[in-house]
Amino acid sequence: MTDGPKHLLIVDDEAALREAIAERLGDHGFVVEQAASGEEALERLAAFAFDVLITDLRLPGIDGRKVLDAAVERYPELIAIVITGFGTVKDAVDAIKQGASDFITKPFQFDALMHVLRSAMEQRRLKTENAYLRSQLEQRYRFDGIIGRSARMRELFQLLETVASTSSTVLITGETGTGKELAARAIHHNSSRRNNRFVALNCSAIPETLLEAELFGHVRGAFTGAIGNRQGRLEQAHRGTLFLDEVGTMSPALQAKLLRVLQEREFERVGDSHTVKIDVRVIAATHSDLTKMVADGSFREDLFYRLNVIPVHMPALRDRREDIPLLVQHFLERLALESGRPLVTVSQEAIRRLMAYPWPGNVRQLENAIERAIAFSKGRAQLDVNDLAPDIQNQPTAPDTSDGWFPDEGIDFDRYVEAIELSLIRRSLERTQGNKRQAAKLLNLKRTTLIEKLKRLEPSDSPKA
Ligand SMILES: Nc1ncnc2c1ncn2[C@@H]1O[C@H](COP(=O)(O)OP(=O)(O)OP(=O)(O)O)[C@@H](O)[C@H]1O
Ligand SMILES: [Mg+2]
């Protein structure tokens, strides 16, 4: 709440009581207005944003409940305290459900009212402060819908922000499930094109023969089945953004046509000789290694350079494990919101397993794993290891042994040693930003030994894009 005097409206048809309270509240620094009826209260509430409303529930004409309703609906931040008659607890409970902060029962001492008022104000202050802190956290560790707090992700957010302010072509690379489409949308939403369309086309989902017409549109009779004229995705994205997903699967013929669009900003619909000019930003994505495809001749080198004006790489989840707790929290909150069920927590041991798992399917796989765990937890308030899929459950984790820790039930020696090996290799790889040669050097291992160990310890690790 802001500083300065608090504006308070007191509503009661008993003039003597109302005036006495108003006077004493005034002594306590409130700026007080009075209303003698529900009608009068509604008028004042419509005209002025009070900080506090104190209203009797029983009023002639429009009753206190309606006044309360109107007040909390209009001003979610307003503190409302209702005055109830003796023996009407149910009314009080209903009022709280309706959004009142607290209630006081007639007859009451002024000090009791002050007490209720002070604690309601304190509660509101804490709530506002928490909401503020939360929004700070959310702001700091996200860009649009992309969550992350690791150094890599913060660098990525900066890059995306810079990229959004340009109209350059972007090539987004990264393994499956790393958020390539999310990043493309974030760029669009933060660009000056945000009020125009974001049109996505997955090049691998459409049969080769139809892809050209899908992209460029066609005129009637251009091919069998082309009954009318049809706009392609390119035209739909005019002044907006065209997202070409899995661009690596395009045929050589189509690659040539796309190259022309990028160079000349013009094209023809299939079966038409008329040239269409277009203003579109292209964002392409691929999980395959285009440089390799250029080397083996399956992807045009000139097109690669046209697309790769600004490269954006989405890091694999296993290379930013520190983001896992935050992502888990994000998915839990989202699932709770969607299902209307209460927010659950996750045991630390489960978090450890989640952080140890290599996540070949990256964030999408993590999202699914959390959803699955919630289904398995059968409404318990905390998810634990047993709710996780077996391969995640069995992921060896290495607790800190420096303080002489040793569990009563003993340990599985081989698995434990492997977990420590893996943890050391990961830490050294993080230190060297994934450079295996340097990491091996830090560990006094041969590079080939490090790679072999990684292969053995992280069997489900897919090759990096
Ligand atoms: N950093 C992130 N924060 C929050 N959610 C994420 C993040 N990265 C990915 N996701 C979520 O994971 C899922 C997969 O993301 P997306 O579809 O963007 O991945 P992709 O890289 O395009 O995958 P694919 O290559 O399989 O198409 C989506 O539900 C997305 O919301
Ligand atoms: Mg995708």
Side-chain angles (χ1 to χ4, degrees):
M1 256 188 197
T2 49
D3 294 323
K6 297 278 175 276
H7 293 265
L8 186 149
L9 177 66
I10 177 159
V11 191
D12 202 321
D13 58 325
E14 278 179 57
L17 176 69
R18 187 185 69 231
E19 273 158 18
I21 295 176
E23 194 182 324
R24 297 206 52 187
L25 284 169
D27 294 342
H28 279 80
F30 288 91
V31 178
V32 186
E33 288 191 38
Q34 305 180 33
S37 68
E39 287 81 350
E40 202 184 326
L42 290 186
E43 259 172 47
R44 287 178 184 264
L45 282 165
F48 188 79
F50 290 93
D51 298 297
V52 184
L53 166 76
I54 301 178
T55 183
D56 195 351
L57 278 184
R58 279 187 51 186
L59 297 168
I62 293 180
D63 73 358
R65 191 160 316 171
K66 294 231 176 68
V67 174
L68 175 65
D69 250 349
V72 295
E73 190 210 35
R74 195 187 295 259
Y75 308 111
E77 291 299 304
L78 175 127
I79 295 168
I81 291 167
V82 298
I83 303 173
T84 60
F86 181 71
T88 54
V89 177
K90 189 174 173 304
D91 287 354
V93 173
D94 287 348
I96 302 273
K97 281 190 191 147
Q98 225 177 292
S101 306
D102 211 338
F103 69 97
I104 189 158
T105 306
K106 260 183 188 173
F108 55 84
Q109 299 287 320
F110 180 78
D111 287 346
L113 176 66
M114 265 324 280
H115 179 75
V116 166
L117 188 51
R118 283 219 182 88
S119 66
M121 285 168 67
E122 175 64 9
Q123 259 178 36
R124 175 54 48 89
R125 192 181 63 75
L126 289 176
K127 201 176 125 195
T128 313
E129 219 161 62
N130 283 340
Y132 173 74
L133 283 178
R134 228 178 299 129
S135 77
Q136 282 264 303
L137 278 180
E138 279 164 9
Q139 299 280 312
R140 182 144 4 126
Y141 298 131
R142 75 188 303 157
F143 183 78
D144 234 67
I146 315 173
I147 309 289
R149 79 203 304 173
S150 57
R152 279 177 189 225
M153 289 307 275
R154 276 179 300 185
E155 272 167 33
L156 178 77
F157 295 165
Q158 272 187 352
L159 176 62
L160 293 178
E161 207 170 332
T162 314
V163 169
S165 63
T166 73
S167 240
S168 303
T169 307
V170 180
L171 179 63
I172 306 178
T173 54
E175 291 174 19
T176 179
T178 48
K180 296 186 292 295
E181 178 154 0
L182 212 54
R185 289 181 190 274
I187 293 173
H188 175 74
H189 285 142
N190 287 278
S191 77
S192 58
R193 296 170 176 265
R194 69 176 75 85
N195 293 324
N196 299 303
R197 253 182 275 183
F198 176 90
V199 177
L201 177 61
N202 186 337
C203 304
S204 70
I206 293 171
E208 176 60 45
T209 46
L210 297 180
L211 189 56
E212 183 177 357
E214 194 62 40
L215 188 55
F216 298 109
H218 61 73
V219 291
R220 187 173 161 181
F223 49 88
T224 347
I227 318 164
N229 293 343
R230 197 161 155 249
Q231 234 188 21
R233 303 285 174 102
L234 251 177
E235 274 181 271
Q236 290 172 5
H238 185 53
R239 297 194 200 286
T241 304
L242 177 70
F243 177 53
L244 288 177
D245 207 356
E246 297 309 347
V247 74
T249 62
M250 263 190 185
S251 71
L254 215 50
Q255 287 179 30
K257 288 186 172 152
L258 177 61
L259 179 65
R260 178 169 163 231
V261 174
L262 293 175
Q263 283 176 341
E264 321 284 341
R265 304 281 149 181
E266 61 180 38
F267 66 97
E268 285 96 36
R269 295 180 191 158
V270 178
D272 196 1
S273 54
H274 171 71
T275 300
V276 183
K277 291 262 175 208
I278 191 106
D279 165 21
V280 68
R281 171 197 227 153
V282 174
I283 301 180
T286 176
H287 73 267
S288 36
D289 186 347
L290 285 189
T291 48
K292 226 184 245 162
M293 293 179 67
V294 167
D296 71 22
S298 53
F299 201 82
R300 289 183 73 115
E301 188 172 22
D302 44 9
L303 177 59
F304 174 71
Y305 287 116
R306 282 286 169 197
L307 290 174
N308 201 34
V309 177
I310 304 182
V312 170
H313 182 70
M314 305 300 291
L317 186 55
R318 85 185 77 79
D319 294 330
R320 52 182 190 103
R321 290 171 196 273
E322 59 172 297
D323 286 340
I324 289 174
L326 193 69
L327 281 163
V328 168
Q329 186 60 26
H330 168 70
F331 292 132
L332 289 176
E333 281 173 16
R334 202 168 74 191
L335 288 166
L337 211 66
E338 282 168 6
S339 67
R341 282 196 290 266
L343 186 61
V344 297
T345 58
V346 185
S347 76
Q348 279 298 90
E349 182 56 27
I351 290 281
R352 283 193 283 276
R353 305 282 164 105
L354 290 168
M355 288 177 78
Y357 186 72
W359 302 110
N362 294 291
V363 185
R364 180 183 296 111
Q365 190 190 4
L366 175 64
E367 190 174 357
N368 295 338
I370 297 301
E371 212 174 320
R372 178 194 184 279
I374 288 184
F376 272 70
S377 72
K378 300 200 181 71
R380 266 181 289 110
Q382 185 168 69
L383 303 183
D384 69 33
V385 176
N386 296 325
D387 301 323
L388 302 174
D391 52 336
I392 303 171
Q393 257 184 54
N394 296 332
Q395 197 61 41
T397 58
D400 188 2
T401 50
S402 52
D403 60 353
W405 166 92
F406 195 85
D408 294 340
E409 70 278 13
I411 55 170
D412 177 336
F413 182 82
D414 289 335
R415 249 188 70 182
Y416 195 82
V417 172
E418 281 181 357
I420 293 173
E421 281 185 278
L422 187 57
S423 153
L424 285 174
I425 292 174
R426 276 183 191 151
R427 277 186 231 173
S428 63
L429 280 169
E430 265 160 36
R431 181 69 53 88
T432 63
Q433 264 139 25
N435 184 318
K436 292 190 176 132
R437 185 180 305 277
Q438 286 172 19
K441 210 168 159 196
L442 284 177
L443 293 166
N444 269 304
L445 289 174
K446 278 203 289 210
R447 193 179 68 97
T448 46
T449 312
L450 180 141
I451 291 171
E452 267 164 34
K453 278 187 187 291
L454 258 182
K455 233 185 239 156
R456 183 165 52 82
L457 299 169
E458 277 191 340
S460 40
D461 228 13
S462 60
K464 287 191 183 155

